[in-house]
Amino acid sequence: MPVDVSLPAITRPTAPPSPLLSFWRSFRENRGAVLGLAVVSIVILVAIFANFLAPHDPFEQYRGFTKLPPIWVDGGSWTYPLGTDALGRDMLSRLMYGSRISLFIGLSVMAVSMVVGVVLGLAAGWFGGVVDVIILRIMDLIMSIPSLVLAILIVAIIGPNLTNTIVAVTVVYLPRYVRLVRASALTELSKDYVTAAKVSGVGPWRLMFVTVLPNCLPPLIVQAALGVSDAILEAAALGFLGLGAQPPTPEWGSMLADSRDLITSHPWVMALPGIAILITVLAINLMGDGLRDALDPRLRKS
Amino acid sequence: MFRFLLRRLALTVPTFLALMFVTFMMIRMVPGDPIEVRRGERGISPERLAELRHEMGLDQPIWKQFVDYVWGLAHGDFGVSIITKNPVLQEFLTLFPATVELSVCALLFAVIIGIPAGVIAASRRGGVYDQSLMGLALTGYSMPIFWWGLILILLVSNTLGWTPVSGRVDLIKYYYPSVTGFMLIDSLLSGEKGAFADAVRHLILPTIVLGTVPLAVIARMTRSSMLEVLEEDYVRTARAKGLAPYRVIGIHALRNALIPVVTVIGLSVGSLLAGAVLTETIFSWPGVGKWLIESIGRRDYPALQGGILLISSIVIVVNLLVDLTYGLINPRIRHAR
Amino acid sequence: MKRTITLASALLVSTMLAAGAAGAKTLVYCSEGSPENFTPALNTTGTSLDAARPVFNQLVEFERGSTNVVPSLAEAYEVSPDGLTVTFKLRKGVKFHSGVNGFTPTRDFNADDVLWSFERQWKADHPYNKVSGGAFDYFNDMDMPNLLKSIEKVDDLTVKMTLNEPNAPILANLAMDFGTIESAEYAKFLLDKGKPEEFDQLPVGTGPYQFVAYQKDAVIRFKAFDAYWGGKAKIDNLVYAITPDATARYAKMKAGECHVMGYPNPADLEAMGKDEGLNLMHQAGLNIGYLALNVKKPPFDKKEVRQAINMAIDRDSILKEVYQGAGQKAKNLIPPTIWSYNDAVKDYEYNPDKAKELLKAAGVETLSSDLWWMPVQRPYNPNAKRMAEMMQADLAKVGITVELKSYEWGEYRKRLQAGEHQMGLLGWTGDNGDPDNFFFLIGCTGAREGGQNISKWCDQSFEDKLQQAKKLSEKADRAKLYEEMQVIAHEEAPNVTIAHSTVYEPVSKKVSDYKISPFGRHEFYGVDIAE
């Protein structure tokens, strides 16, 4: 939970006694957000402890037991609670290990775009002029190509694997972070406290990262939370098109793509990874909504 | 206003030029070769490969290829597809109506359901309707649409048999010339009985799949925008005057609340085209999204380059139009950066 | 308003009745993709060749549903005793389609059309040589430029082809799609109009069906050609509904939106077999899917290691899970339907323990290797990724750690041919039913870097027999050599021969006389459909 971890770092000039406590109070009011948080926590726990929780090795192919249905369907068995895939691998175990991959992708994309986005956004806001124009034009350029097409093109160039998926998705989502940071930085830079700090001789680095940045954080945190879910979706779409993690990695998107030919004969194999994606993304989004409302009521708009 | 327009137009020119250059370079960096791809198991002798590359101008230095390409573009020539040897612009124009038809339907679907849903949710803030509608909206927003498409095909088409699985119209029953490229219009023009209904049936699932995410975004946006407007003084006044709630909401509030919603709709054209890539792939919809994906697979440089350039230009132009309309509606934007 | 509708529907009913009275029969074939163009000589993919086939004929043709060569536009042919000249006696009174693209033929088919069609592929100064890119892949692959000495017109209905050396399979080669005869007059008509590129987009031929319209990614329409020399086709309208997704094709079959479909999803075969409205036809395919072991990369240079891998891979499971039973285990490179198949060869049995022993004997305790899988579905391998994952698990059991690798299709094949891999999946589909068309795959010529022999295996005794067999004219003599070669290939095991896939095609019960082609073609002349 990067969000919680980074929160204490916020030091507002006019901070209330305990920002964390007041944040939690307003977050708690939102039942959806709490539910989201609970589900996200479970997914994280499953991801961390997948090797203890999973009933089987996710790569072991039980040759005589392929394409078994889940337990609640006729023919299901408790040995493989969610059934098996086309090669007889246990679905539940694969989904559990898959949560590691999806979360890893989501968090990595978020972390990298945060760092790069903050640097570029602050640079654009601080230097203005040519730097600003160049950075903004590049972001416009990225945004004018349909996101998935751009991601596919990038993966096609650097080759399909997990790391490159992260690179491609990061590039595609970078403009949002840059624009957000730039916009908030511009707002903050025009405020009196910044002028005061400038006058009192605070250096530019200190001014940007210590004075201005913390005040841009709330919208950025919200964007980061939603960015995780967007990244998971985009990476799954790449996996679905066969451009994500390579076999036998149990990535949800590619699990779905691999079982596409079973849609009529064994629909469960195809349905389950999609449900896992949907639940995870939905939970993160619920949590993100709650975060937004709790952190900054002004942001309720979008 | 005129200066604002000029300024925005001027800003798109470098974007467009950079787009041309970057896509050109990126596409050539993709490993693989259009000639090798189509050879399959047979392979090709190095001499023959060199010969063919020469004929296609692929052996020229990259900068020369780029200059030639830009020169052609300046004359309205997007080049010729390596695979089909048809002019890229012609291929694009035959497939584009299918994408437009699908996107417009998806957007209509999203607006027709999304705005009322948002209004209802806002007017019953915190109630059961609000919570369930917004819960659904968030679910839609979180939907992996490739999976959603497959599930709908599985349930609605395969199990219930209500809609066709793919294509745009039943080819056995109906045969009429493609006049506009828009199946809905062509089917009406043809005068063939049932053709229009059949075209609609083919459109239902792709429309739902492509429209789901915009629907969710619009519903959420309408709701929050409505809530904000409902807090404003003039609405309170109207309420205090005792106007009927539907008049307050329907006339005073909605009109103002829709401004940001319209912007969101305009700006969603880009993401709609991205979604069309997946939707068209799933439903074998003969549009430009599927064409682009296939062009990447076939390393059809001119088709890919032209396709990305055309689509991105459309996105740029639409965004520009949205900016301009917004500037017209809201003069404050004009001067802000 | 109501009146208009009634009137319109009355009109419609009457036209429909009229159509019904004429007995217009429509057959819809759900095809898997859009053709690149309609000139077979330019194309290599089955999809493009299928799309052009209704429109055209060759001098000689493969009999529908078999590999036999029968006369077509040439009603007779004669090979000289020295094997160097072939004389074709052309059919008289063969008409070209009329009315396509504003073209009306003024004369019947004759020797000029034959010369025109071959010279386009052969001579660089031919006016159409460069039109549509001019990559005449099959013509070059079949070594025609070196084989042909001359093609001469003796008279309007006689063509003499002279070869540089005797070549037994020449007639089978000419029956392939690149041997298609197109209209020289239509070509000139378009050249005069200044639109030669339309030649390959709006085809005019002598075939049983005339081209009507094509919409990219949607549909191709043909109608029966009244004046077809073989008699008018039984089907009046032939429609190719382009449907890339196999599941969607099957759904259309069930809904009655198409009558024949190609390339069914193996996972759906079971349900198709039970479907009341469908005939699930099948035939052994003329193909082989194999795993090549690169002998240039140690320890694969050791015969024992290659044999061990043959024993370590559970091909029965692969057949079941990847082919869904739609195939037969392969012990030789050629499928059993090709003459000279050596049934006496004893297949490697699945035996991980023995594989381990062999590896140990070869001094290989643990081994890390890569295994490449192609990114595309092929007739001989419906799901290479799944197959690779299964092999990975099998090889892990004998102590071989395998990393799976893949590249974009063109790049993939290029890198395999360059010998970058240790193990790689590939396969082959036969072109003309001759054993040589398979065995050249593991010959020494292809073992060079960039050659088609991707195991890079070069065995001199095998190679000698391969070359010798090509020059012999007696089938029995050739067969003997090929049988011996299969024994060598089996013992040396340059690759794991996995399976010959069975071609399945669901056909509506309304359709009669449809035949599956061993070449994977889809042909509709002679097919009928009940109302």
Side-chain angles (χ1 to χ4, degrees):
Chain A
M1 288 287 311
V3 171
D4 287 20
V5 178
S6 59
L7 266 176
I10 306 175
T11 48
R12 298 183 191 223
T14 54
S18 168
L20 192 61
L21 193 68
S22 73
F23 161 76
W24 173 243
R25 276 198 193 122
S26 67
F27 185 85
R28 206 175 45 184
E29 277 170 31
N30 187 333
R31 273 182 295 168
V34 176
L35 179 68
L37 179 65
V39 175
V40 170
S41 312
I42 293 172
V43 175
I44 291 173
L45 287 177
V46 167
I48 293 173
F49 299 108
N51 37 345
F52 299 111
L53 292 171
H56 299 274
D57 177 345
F59 304 111
E60 178 68 37
Q61 302 171 0
Y62 299 95
R63 289 277 161 85
F65 303 91
T66 55
K67 293 170 278 192
L68 292 181
I71 183 71
W72 60 87
V73 181
D74 276 349
S77 93
W78 275 112
T79 326
Y80 311 103
L82 291 183
T84 53
D85 72 0
L87 294 177
R89 293 173 296 200
D90 181 49
M91 280 303 276
L92 179 62
S93 311
R94 280 181 78 72
L95 288 174
M96 283 177 158
Y97 275 86
S99 66
R100 279 187 177 177
I101 292 159
S102 282
L103 286 183
F104 175 70
I105 293 175
L107 292 176
S108 318
V109 169
M110 187 269 287
V112 178
S113 8
M114 272 272 258
V115 172
V116 181
V118 162
V119 170
L120 289 181
L122 284 183
W126 175 258
F127 293 109
V130 183
V131 178
D132 188 24
V133 169
I134 291 178
I135 292 178
L136 274 191
R137 284 314 103 195
I138 293 176
M139 296 304 130
D140 276 2
L141 185 70
I142 295 176
M143 289 203 302
S144 67
I145 304 176
S147 60
L148 194 60
V149 175
L150 180 62
I152 291 170
L153 206 54
I154 295 174
V155 172
I157 293 173
I158 55 185
N161 62 44
L162 206 56
T163 327
N164 292 348
T165 303
I166 294 172
V167 173
V169 178
T170 305
V171 172
V172 169
Y173 283 117
L174 196 57
R176 302 182 180 188
Y177 293 83
V178 173
R179 291 167 76 103
L180 188 69
V181 175
R182 176 184 169 274
S184 351
L186 279 180
T187 320
E188 295 299 323
L189 281 172
S190 65
K191 286 192 178 159
D192 291 341
Y193 74 94
V194 177
T195 321
K198 266 187 192 164
V199 171
S200 62
V202 177
W205 290 106
R206 199 177 150 72
L207 189 68
M208 284 319 301
F209 286 97
V210 182
T211 316
V212 175
L213 182 59
N215 289 298
C216 307
L217 272 183
L220 196 58
I221 288 170
V222 174
Q223 172 62 49
L226 298 177
V228 173
S229 61
D230 284 339
I232 291 177
L233 273 184
E234 193 84 10
L238 281 178
F240 176 71
L241 293 170
L243 295 166
Q246 291 303 292
T249 321
E251 197 266 329
W252 291 341
S254 52
M255 282 170 71
L256 213 163
D258 286 350
S259 51
R260 211 184 146 179
D261 59 333
L262 303 177
I263 177 169
T264 34
S265 51
H266 306 86
W268 284 111
V269 189
M270 184 221 79
L272 289 170
I275 294 173
I277 299 173
L278 177 59
I279 290 177
T280 310
V281 171
L282 180 59
I284 297 174
N285 283 342
L286 272 173
M287 200 184 74
D289 271 10
L291 268 180
R292 182 187 52 204
D293 292 352
L295 278 175
D296 194 344
R298 281 174 307 164
L299 282 167
R300 272 185 203 177
K301 251 188 173 172
S302 50
Chain B
M1 185 62 213
F2 188 63
R3 285 196 51 185
F4 172 69
L5 187 111
L6 272 186
R7 202 183 126 81
R8 289 292 287 110
L9 266 180
L11 277 176
T12 57
V13 173
T15 312
F16 187 78
L17 289 177
L19 182 73
M20 220 155 67
F21 181 74
V22 171
T23 48
F24 190 89
M25 289 307 158
M26 279 181 80
I27 289 169
R28 261 119 194 118
M29 277 156 66
V30 176
D33 181 298
I35 301 167
E36 295 267 0
V37 176
R38 57 196 294 280
R39 297 287 308 183
E41 289 82 3
R42 332 199 112 262
I44 187 167
S45 71
E47 304 80 41
R48 184 83 187 130
L49 179 66
E51 204 178 306
L52 288 175
R53 287 181 63 87
H54 177 72
E55 274 169 25
M56 291 186 189
L58 292 171
D59 58 342
Q60 306 237 10
I62 287 230
W63 64 266
K64 178 82 168 51
Q65 292 185 39
F66 182 65
V67 170
D68 287 349
Y69 187 75
V70 175
W71 183 248
L73 271 190
H75 294 77
D77 177 9
F78 280 80
V80 173
S81 157
I82 290 182
I83 304 299
T84 63
K85 312 290 173 196
N86 279 327
V88 171
L89 192 62
Q90 183 196 321
E91 293 219 330
F92 183 87
L93 290 179
T94 34
L95 297 173
F96 193 52
T99 303
V100 173
E101 186 170 68
L102 175 59
S103 307
V104 167
C105 288
L107 211 51
L108 279 178
F109 165 78
V111 167
I112 290 171
I113 300 181
I115 290 183
V119 171
I120 292 171
S123 57
R124 308 269 163 89
R125 185 180 190 180
V128 182
Y129 279 103
D130 182 18
Q131 288 192 342
S132 38
L133 281 175
M134 284 307 108
L136 280 179
L138 198 65
T139 312
Y141 183 71
S142 312
M143 194 64 87
I145 68 165
F146 44 93
W147 177 78
W148 182 222
L150 292 176
I151 289 291
L152 283 180
I153 289 180
L154 178 66
L155 297 180
V156 181
S157 300
N158 285 0
T159 313
L160 298 171
W162 287 351
T163 60
V165 182
S166 78
R168 296 175 76 187
V169 78
D170 184 336
L171 298 162
I172 304 184
K173 290 198 194 119
Y174 309 109
Y175 173 39
Y176 44 82
S178 164
V179 183
T180 59
F182 298 95
M183 198 50 88
L184 291 178
I185 300 175
D186 284 349
S187 61
L188 280 178
L189 288 179
S190 75
E192 287 199 40
K193 203 180 166 194
F196 180 74
D198 192 59
V200 170
R201 267 166 26 93
H202 281 78
L203 252 172
I204 293 174
L205 285 193
T207 297
I208 294 177
V209 169
L210 185 54
T212 298
V213 174
L215 166 63
V217 172
I218 289 172
R220 281 158 61 85
M221 190 72 202
T222 308
R223 175 181 178 271
S224 57
S225 174
M226 274 300 280
L227 286 179
E228 199 161 291
V229 173
L230 287 174
E231 296 286 310
E232 305 241 348
D233 293 341
Y234 65 95
V235 178
R236 290 179 189 214
T237 319
R239 269 191 177 152
K241 277 198 320 201
L243 285 180
Y246 76 89
R247 283 198 61 135
V248 177
I249 291 175
I251 297 174
H252 292 274
L254 186 57
R255 207 170 45 190
N256 286 299
L258 280 187
I259 296 175
V261 177
V262 170
T263 318
V264 166
I265 294 172
L267 293 178
S268 67
V269 167
S271 56
L272 208 57
L273 287 173
V277 170
L278 284 172
T279 314
E280 289 177 2
T281 306
I282 294 166
F283 289 97
S284 307
W285 192 261
V288 288
K290 184 164 147 287
W291 178 62
L292 275 185
I293 298 284
E294 285 171 1
S295 300
I296 294 180
R298 293 190 290 224
R299 301 297 185 264
D300 191 343
Y301 298 149
L304 194 54
Q305 169 90 44
I308 292 181
L309 218 51
L310 285 163
I311 286 192
S312 306
S313 310
I314 291 163
V315 174
I316 292 176
V317 169
V318 170
N319 286 356
L320 184 67
L321 288 177
V322 172
D323 264 17
L324 294 181
T325 351
Y326 201 61
L328 278 179
I329 300 170
N330 190 347
R332 274 174 298 171
I333 300 291
R334 268 182 241 167
H335 307 292
R337 281 182 36 104
Chain C
M1 185 62 201
K2 197 174 176 190
R3 187 166 298 159
T4 351
I5 291 174
T6 346
L7 191 70
S9 48
L11 259 171
L12 217 112
V13 169
S14 60
T15 44
M16 277 168 85
L17 280 177
K25 292 179 182 173
T26 300
L27 184 139
V28 183
Y29 164 58
C30 268
S31 68
E32 70 288 354
S34 294
E36 295 165 9
N37 57 58
F38 290 91
T39 288
L42 288 166
N43 294 321
T44 49
T45 61
T47 308
S48 298
L49 297 175
D50 273 345
R53 199 164 289 120
V55 178
F56 294 111
N57 294 117
Q58 294 78 34
L59 288 174
V60 286
E61 284 175 359
F62 293 113
E63 191 184 357
R64 197 162 61 92
S66 86
T67 58
N68 299 337
V69 177
V70 295
S72 177
L73 286 180
E75 56 184 8
Y77 51 83
E78 194 191 342
V79 186
S80 67
D82 61 1
L84 286 175
T85 50
V86 192
T87 313
F88 295 96
K89 187 80 197 128
L90 305 185
R91 200 175 290 276
K92 201 175 170 218
V94 173
K95 308 275 183 219
F96 279 103
H97 303 151
S98 176
V100 177
N101 200 15
F103 170 71
T104 316
T106 61
R107 63 165 175 83
D108 289 349
F109 153 78
N110 66 25
D112 293 332
D113 300 310
V114 178
L115 263 61
W116 188 94
S117 300
F118 286 108
E119 282 174 359
R120 178 181 181 189
Q121 306 178 57
W122 189 19
K123 306 262 160 90
D125 59 352
H126 189 279
Y128 272 74
N129 184 266
K130 295 284 179 286
V131 173
S132 301
F136 302 101
D137 295 329
Y138 264 110
F139 188 79
N140 287 290
D141 286 346
M142 291 295 150
D143 210 23
M144 294 300 281
N146 298 326
L147 204 55
L148 282 181
K149 193 172 183 187
S150 69
I151 307 180
E152 291 155 84
K153 172 181 176 177
V154 178
D155 60 53
D156 261 5
L157 292 176
T158 314
V159 172
K160 195 168 95 182
M161 202 176 261
T162 314
L163 309 179
N164 283 321
E165 57 178 21
N167 182 292
I170 180 80
L171 284 165
N173 289 352
L174 290 178
M176 289 165 61
D177 291 279
F178 78 87
T180 291
I181 307 302
E182 297 185 270
S183 165
E185 197 189 2
Y186 178 52
K188 182 163 184 313
F189 168 79
L190 287 178
L191 208 56
D192 292 344
K193 254 174 67 176
K195 291 185 168 172
E197 67 283 356
E198 285 184 358
F199 186 81
D200 303 315
Q201 306 292 342
L202 303 163
V204 170
T206 55
Y209 295 94
Q210 179 167 342
F211 175 84
V212 175
Y214 163 53
Q215 257 175 292
K216 186 175 167 60
D217 287 351
V219 62
I220 314 170
R221 291 177 190 277
F222 305 96
K223 64 175 186 194
F225 178 38
D226 291 330
Y228 182 56
W229 56 268
K232 193 185 175 213
K234 292 172 194 153
I235 298 161
D236 300 280
N237 298 300
L238 177 62
V239 179
Y240 282 30
I242 299 167
T243 317
D245 183 54
T247 311
R249 285 201 293 275
Y250 178 35
K252 280 190 171 182
M253 287 289 292
K254 280 201 284 193
E257 282 187 47
C258 55
H259 305 113
V260 180
M261 69 172 265
Y263 315 103
N265 200 335
D268 293 336
L269 287 176
E270 199 185 329
M272 285 173 179
K274 288 178 190 149
D275 199 317
E276 293 289 315
L278 299 180
N279 255 330
L280 185 59
M281 300 176 69
H282 64 92
Q283 193 182 51
L286 205 58
N287 61 44
I288 173 78
Y290 57 84
L291 174 75
L293 308 171
N294 187 349
V295 302
K296 291 272 161 67
K297 294 265 176 92
F300 296 102
D301 53 342
K302 294 196 178 102
K303 184 170 89 181
E304 292 75 23
V305 175
R306 301 196 296 261
Q307 287 174 341
I309 288 171
N310 264 288
M311 290 174 197
I313 291 173
D314 180 5
R315 287 178 295 152
D316 287 312
S317 291
I318 289 178
L319 216 62
K320 182 161 165 269
E321 305 300 348
V322 179
Y323 293 86
Q324 310 286 332
Q328 67 186 112
K329 209 156 67 160
K331 59 181 179 183
N332 290 318
L333 195 66
I334 54 169
T337 42
I338 290 190
W339 56 272
S340 83
Y341 181 80
N342 190 343
D343 208 15
V345 167
K346 196 174 170 294
D347 200 1
Y348 290 105
E349 55 174 337
Y350 173 57
N351 190 339
D353 296 327
K354 195 155 175 227
K356 257 191 241 172
E357 273 171 36
L358 270 174
L359 284 173
K360 206 170 168 186
V364 181
E365 288 287 329
T366 53
L367 171 63
S368 294
S369 168
D370 54 26
L371 193 160
W372 296 35
W373 54 276
M374 46 298 172
V376 287
Q377 189 178 0
R378 306 301 290 171
Y380 51 79
N381 190 339
N383 195 330
K385 185 179 178 184
R386 202 168 277 166
M387 188 185 284
E389 286 182 85
M390 293 185 75
M391 291 180 166
Q392 186 183 36
D394 285 339
L395 292 173
K397 292 204 178 100
V398 296
I400 303 178
T401 320
V402 168
E403 184 201 350
L404 300 182
K405 269 188 162 179
S406 191
Y407 283 93
E408 170 276 329
W409 181 220
E411 189 73 8
Y412 178 84
R413 202 214 60 247
K414 194 169 133 191
R415 286 180 189 243
L416 281 187
Q417 292 192 352
E420 286 183 26
H421 61 294
Q422 287 172 294
M423 297 189 267
L425 287 170
L426 206 66
W428 184 255
T429 304
D431 297 307
N432 52 18
D434 196 274
D436 183 67
N437 186 252
F438 276 81
F439 286 119
F440 84 99
L441 285 173
I442 47 175
C444 284
T445 325
R448 67 180 163 88
E449 195 174 303
Q452 273 175 314
N453 178 350
I454 61 163
S455 50
K456 303 295 160 202
W457 173 73
C458 173
D459 182 284
Q460 209 47 56
S461 69
F462 182 92
E463 176 68 13
D464 290 345
K465 290 181 167 53
L466 180 69
Q467 293 307 334
Q468 203 186 338
K470 213 161 37 177
K471 298 202 182 78
L472 293 175
S473 51
E474 268 315 305
K475 201 169 172 178
D477 299 339
R478 291 181 72 196
K480 191 169 161 285
L481 287 170
Y482 287 130
E483 279 167 21
E484 289 165 20
M485 281 154 65
Q486 286 165 64
V487 175
I488 301 174
H490 181 262
E491 172 64 20
E492 290 289 323
N495 43 36
V496 183
T497 49
I498 302 155
H500 311 291
S501 80
T502 307
V503 179
Y504 277 86
E505 277 172 21
V507 176
S508 161
K509 285 245 164 91
K510 286 184 192 166
V511 175
S512 50
D513 293 334
Y514 181 78
K515 286 178 184 160
I516 297 188
S517 151
F519 299 112
R521 299 171 162 204
H522 297 93
E523 295 165 302
F524 300 100
Y525 178 65
V527 178
D528 200 359
I529 185 166
E531 290 290 311

